[in-house]
Amino acid sequence: MKINIKKRILHFKQPAGTSRGVYTERKIWLVEMIEGDKKGIGECAPLPQLSTDDLPDYEEKLHAICQQTERTGIIDYSALRPYPSMLFGLETAWAQIQANGNLRLFDTPFGRGEEGITINGLVWMGTFEEMYHRIKEKIQAGFHCVKLKIGAIDWEREISLIQFIRQHFSKQQIELRVDANGGFTPQEAMRKLEQLATYDIHSIEQPIKQHQWKEMAQLCKESPLPIALDEELIGVNNKASKENLLDTIRPQYIILKPSLHGGMHGSEEWIQLAREREIGSWITSALESNIGLNAIAHFAAKTYSPHITMPQGLGTGQLFTDNIDMPIEIRGEKLYFVP
């Protein structure tokens, strides 16, 4: 086995605002795995200030891990639990080799091009006018599930945006998800959740910052709308810790990003543990290029096989000016693989 590494910088078409700042570019590392006459490519893409493996010596560590994988010929899942973005890249490359070099990583209706995956329309943080315009664009494009990132502008203006949507579209017409990225304080969270609940919100992601298990558990128990955990899962790597988190907080949903939550291997473990506790889940991308997005889409199709019923968060492939061509495309509100 031989593994080559290449660094790339992707550029956003528009600045992407999050509660942790604004992204204008995205660093990724592509790993090309070669075994015999087969090749596979994967993407290692840590998120600054968020990924557990967002390290100052990331590239050196990645080289060391790839050299170890070359020597042994296997992916050491146990050793790579603390490095989810690196694990995900190696898993993706290996899955392609296992698929005889085909970009259809797994044999599913999605992978055969027979059906698409319904995705949510993502509306980034911005000014009131920007978010208003983006919402209208998503609805006009045919999306029936829209996810709003909140917490960047005045709360009352954000509520007025949500009110605007509900004045024109019922919950049967548009499913609304919101992502607070930990933007609420524990003291104000319940008041804001109660306010949001009046607008038939499907769920809210991470209302308060992670590592506040007691407060989050109380919110999940008393909230008038379902709570989904995202950042809370980052860095919780072994099975016993995952079980402890789920049993303590008891969320209604968890949201898995393979680059953040243990690669495909770790995400599968999270989903299985959640199922055992009747906790729902869905899968989203984390600002990867189309290489990572393609892998995540195939993983989602395999995980929820044979048919995905819940909209997934796989709409980030159109964010970059210099994305990498892959046989995936969005038609209306669905992501398709084109064999």
Side-chain angles (χ1 to χ4, degrees):
M1 180 187 292
K2 174 68 176 173
I3 302 175
N4 300 313
I5 302 171
K6 183 179 181 180
K7 184 179 179 180
R8 287 279 300 265
I9 296 180
L10 304 175
H11 301 87
F12 285 89
K13 293 178 181 176
Q14 297 176 337
T18 75
S19 59
R20 290 172 297 278
V22 178
Y23 296 143
T24 58
E25 62 180 34
R26 181 83 163 98
K27 293 179 184 177
I28 65 171
W29 285 262
L30 301 179
V31 291
E32 182 189 54
M33 187 179 291
I34 304 168
E35 187 166 87
D37 61 349
K38 299 173 186 175
K39 290 184 180 181
I41 189 166
E43 177 177 353
C44 304
L47 277 173
Q49 302 175 37
L50 188 61
S51 299
T52 55
D53 54 0
D54 174 35
L55 307 169
D57 59 345
Y58 185 92
E59 192 163 340
E60 290 81 357
K61 184 65 180 178
L62 178 59
H63 273 282
I65 286 172
C66 288
Q67 288 170 359
Q68 175 70 10
T69 306
E70 284 179 334
R71 285 194 298 269
T72 62
I74 60 171
I75 297 174
D76 189 341
Y77 292 101
S78 179
L80 288 176
R81 280 181 184 265
Y83 309 104
S85 68
M86 300 184 200
L87 172 57
F88 176 60
L90 290 172
E91 284 179 308
T92 300
W94 179 243
Q96 188 177 346
I97 286 178
Q98 292 292 93
N100 293 315
N102 199 311
L103 291 170
R104 183 183 76 180
L105 302 185
F106 308 110
D107 185 21
T108 63
F110 170 76
R112 294 190 295 270
E114 296 168 1
E115 61 182 46
I117 298 174
T118 302
I119 62 177
N120 59 245
L122 179 60
V123 175
W124 284 93
M125 292 179 177
T127 65
F128 180 91
E129 291 73 20
E130 287 169 342
M131 294 183 73
Y132 177 88
H133 178 68
R134 291 167 189 166
I135 290 167
K136 291 185 71 174
E137 280 186 338
K138 295 300 179 186
I139 293 172
Q140 289 168 358
F143 285 91
H144 292 90
C145 177
V146 175
K147 173 181 168 180
L148 303 176
K149 283 189 172 287
I150 59 176
I153 60 176
D154 178 78
W155 170 249
E156 294 306 323
R157 301 202 85 190
E158 289 178 333
I159 283 293
S160 69
L161 274 170
I162 293 169
Q163 185 179 42
F164 163 79
I165 297 173
R166 277 291 170 252
Q167 285 173 342
H168 294 84
F169 301 94
S170 68
K171 66 178 181 180
Q172 287 77 23
Q173 293 172 302
I174 294 292
E175 178 181 287
L176 273 181
R177 300 173 179 176
V178 296
D179 183 0
N181 285 124
F184 301 164
T185 67
Q187 294 73 30
E188 70 185 358
M190 185 56 71
R191 173 180 62 83
K192 291 188 172 181
L193 293 177
E194 289 172 348
Q195 199 170 355
L196 286 168
T198 63
Y199 298 105
D200 295 314
I201 304 296
H202 171 271
S203 57
I204 180 168
E205 292 181 39
Q206 203 69 41
I208 62 175
K209 290 187 184 303
Q210 62 266 49
H211 310 313
Q212 302 179 87
W213 285 20
K214 180 180 178 181
E215 293 83 354
M216 187 69 86
Q218 191 72 17
L219 286 176
C220 289
K221 182 179 179 180
E222 299 178 357
S223 173
L225 74 157
I227 290 176
L229 300 186
D230 180 355
E231 288 94 336
E232 197 74 64
L233 313 181
I234 296 172
V236 182
N237 294 321
N238 65 67
K239 186 177 180 182
S241 298
K242 293 176 181 180
E243 291 174 326
N244 186 27
L245 183 149
L246 295 176
D247 290 336
T248 300
I249 299 180
R250 303 297 303 181
Q252 285 74 35
Y253 296 103
I254 59 172
I255 301 169
L256 283 310
K257 296 180 172 74
S259 289
L260 291 173
H261 299 133
M264 292 187 254
H265 182 80
S267 296
E268 280 181 329
E269 187 174 68
W270 272 116
I271 291 167
Q272 181 56 42
L273 292 173
R275 283 174 174 165
E276 292 169 3
R277 292 158 175 77
E278 298 183 346
I279 295 169
S281 67
W282 66 88
I283 294 169
T284 82
S285 52
L287 304 181
E288 295 87 358
S289 77
N290 280 336
I291 291 176
L293 180 59
N294 178 69
I296 295 168
H298 284 282
F299 170 64
K302 170 177 171 276
T303 301
Y304 301 117
S305 183
H307 307 292
I308 300 180
T309 56
M310 182 176 286
Q312 307 293 297
L314 306 175
T316 58
Q318 299 172 316
L319 295 176
F320 304 109
T321 60
D322 43 7
N323 210 330
I324 299 163
D325 287 338
M326 293 290 281
I328 51 175
E329 63 183 34
I330 294 176
R331 304 175 204 157
E333 63 172 354
K334 292 193 175 186
L335 180 71
Y336 286 87
F337 179 73
V338 186

